[in-house]
Amino acid sequence: MFPKLDPLLHSELRLAVMSILVGVDEADFTYLKKQTGATSGNLSVQIDKLLAAGYITVEKGFKGKMPRTTCKITTAGQEAFEGYVKALKEYIS
Amino acid sequence: MENSKEQNKEMSAQQSLDLISETLNNNRRCILQNSAKHFILWGTLLLAFSIVIYELLHVTRDLHWMLLWFAMPVVGFPLARLLGKKGTAVPQNVISSQLHYIWLAYCVFAVAISIVAMFEMPSCITLLLVALLGFAECYSGLLLKNWPIIIGGFILGVGGAVVAMLVRSEAQLLVFAAGGLILAATGLIVKRQYQ
C-alpha cells in the first residue's frame, strides 16, 4: 500500500516554495516570487498555509526603508518535505 | 515545465519530483551566480591594486605606497555591499556561506599580517599571503567541485610561493596581480558554469 502524500505539499506552488527553502538559510518574499513566477497575492496565501501548518516561519522587518518578509523552513517542515520525497519515490518505484 | 506555479494544480508523483529537482537546481544556480559576482569584484580589485602599487613603487622607490593595500578593503567592502543590494536579495545556501566565510577569513588574515609587517617587515610576507590566497582559491574549487579552480588555486598558492622566494622587491607584487587574474577568472568560470 502506498503512503499518503502530504496534501499541503502536493500543490505546485507550495512545493516550489518548500523546495527553495529546504536549500537555503532563509529567503525573502521577492526572491520566492521571482523564482516561482507566482503573483504576490497567491504566494502570500500559500505562505500563510505553510505557516499555519508550522512548516515555515515568517519574519516581517525592514531592509533599509523597504519592508521585507523573510521565510525560513522549520524542523517540522524539513521532516515533512523529506517524508513527502520518500513517499513520491515509493510511488514511482 | 512552465515557469509560473500559479495554478496550484495537483501533480503526478513524477511531476512533483521533477518540480523539486528543477527548483533546487534553479535555486543553486541563482545563488552560485551571485557568488561569482564577488569573485570578479575582488579579483579585479586585487589586479588593479597590485599593478598600481607596482607602478608607484617602480617609479618612486618609496615603500610608503605599500600602505595603499589598506585602501583595498575600504573600497572593496562598500562595493560588495552595493553589489548585494542591487536587484533581488539572493539567499545563502551551505556552499555560498562556506565561500563567504573562507574569503572573509582570508581577508582578516591578510589585513592582520600586513599590519604586523608594517612594524617588522618580514621577507616572507608575499609568500605567506599568496600561499593563503592559493589555499582559499583551492578550497573554493573543492566546494564548487570545479577542477579548473582547484588547479588554479594550487598553481597560485604553490607557484606563487616559489616565485615569491625567487624574486625580490616590487616584482613580488606581480604575483598578486596573477592572483587577481585567477580570482576574476574563477568568478567568470562559476558564472558560466551556472548560467
Side-chain angles (χ1 to χ4, degrees):
Chain A
M1 180 152 175
F2 290 120
K4 199 173 172 250
L5 289 174
D6 185 339
L8 206 69
L9 294 181
H10 201 57
S11 135
E12 200 173 10
L13 183 51
R14 286 194 294 269
L15 184 59
V17 170
M18 289 295 280
S19 302
I20 293 169
L21 294 178
V22 83
V24 298
D25 301 337
E26 57 181 31
D28 73 11
F29 187 85
T30 322
Y31 181 78
L32 291 173
K33 193 177 156 207
K34 190 182 164 194
Q35 289 296 101
T36 57
T39 60
S40 300
N42 194 9
L43 185 59
S44 286
V45 171
Q46 306 313 325
I47 282 176
D48 284 344
K49 286 184 182 173
L50 293 170
L51 176 68
Y55 287 180
I56 63 170
T57 57
V58 176
E59 204 174 291
K60 289 179 193 281
F62 284 89
K63 190 182 179 189
K65 286 178 182 173
M66 298 292 286
R68 185 182 184 222
T69 303
T70 313
C71 302
K72 195 175 181 176
I73 196 163
T74 61
T75 311
Q78 259 166 356
E79 284 168 1
F81 187 82
E82 282 165 20
Y84 180 75
V85 172
K86 201 176 157 191
L88 284 178
K89 283 179 179 167
E90 280 181 41
Y91 267 87
I92 288 170
S93 59
Chain B
M1 189 177 288
E2 61 181 340
N3 188 35
S4 171
K5 280 90 186 172
E6 204 56 54
Q7 301 300 316
N8 298 321
K9 63 180 182 192
E10 286 284 315
M11 299 168 289
S12 71
Q14 188 57 53
Q15 279 176 322
S16 294
L17 279 176
D18 288 346
L19 173 69
I20 292 168
S21 169
E22 186 199 352
T23 311
L24 285 172
N25 284 335
N26 284 345
N27 198 32
R28 187 169 188 263
R29 195 180 306 133
C30 187
I31 291 166
L32 292 175
Q33 261 194 346
N34 187 57
S35 298
K37 289 195 287 191
H38 293 271
F39 275 104
I40 296 168
L41 168 73
W42 288 102
T44 310
L45 278 176
L46 182 59
L47 178 66
F49 271 80
S50 316
I51 291 172
V52 167
I53 296 171
Y54 170 80
E55 278 300 322
L56 289 169
L57 283 179
H58 194 67
V59 172
T60 64
R61 300 271 157 209
D62 184 357
L63 277 175
H64 285 97
W65 288 115
M66 291 291 265
L67 291 171
L68 258 183
W69 279 117
F70 291 107
M72 195 174 135
V74 175
V75 174
F77 280 112
L79 277 176
R81 215 176 142 80
L82 205 71
L83 212 63
K85 276 185 180 174
K86 215 175 131 190
T88 311
V90 178
Q92 295 267 312
N93 67 2
V94 179
I95 296 173
S96 65
S97 295
Q98 294 254 351
L99 286 173
H100 174 77
Y101 289 132
I102 184 87
W103 285 102
L104 188 67
Y106 174 74
C107 185
V108 171
F109 269 70
V111 171
I113 291 170
S114 304
I115 289 171
V116 173
M118 276 171 59
F119 301 103
E120 191 67 47
M121 187 70 166
S123 57
C124 60
I125 184 173
T126 306
L127 188 151
L128 246 174
L129 291 180
V130 86
L132 283 173
L133 184 66
F135 173 79
E137 172 79 6
C138 205
Y139 187 70
S140 301
L142 287 167
L143 281 174
L144 294 163
K145 294 183 182 135
N146 186 302
W147 277 104
I149 299 173
I150 296 170
I151 294 165
F154 185 79
I155 292 171
L156 175 63
V158 178
V162 171
V163 173
M165 281 186 268
L166 295 176
V167 297
R168 289 275 162 256
S169 66
E170 75 261 18
Q172 289 193 345
L173 289 167
L174 296 176
V175 176
F176 288 113
L181 260 179
I182 290 179
L183 214 57
T186 300
L188 291 172
I189 291 170
V190 174
K191 200 173 170 186
R192 219 176 122 184
Q193 189 176 351
Y194 295 103
Q195 228 160 21

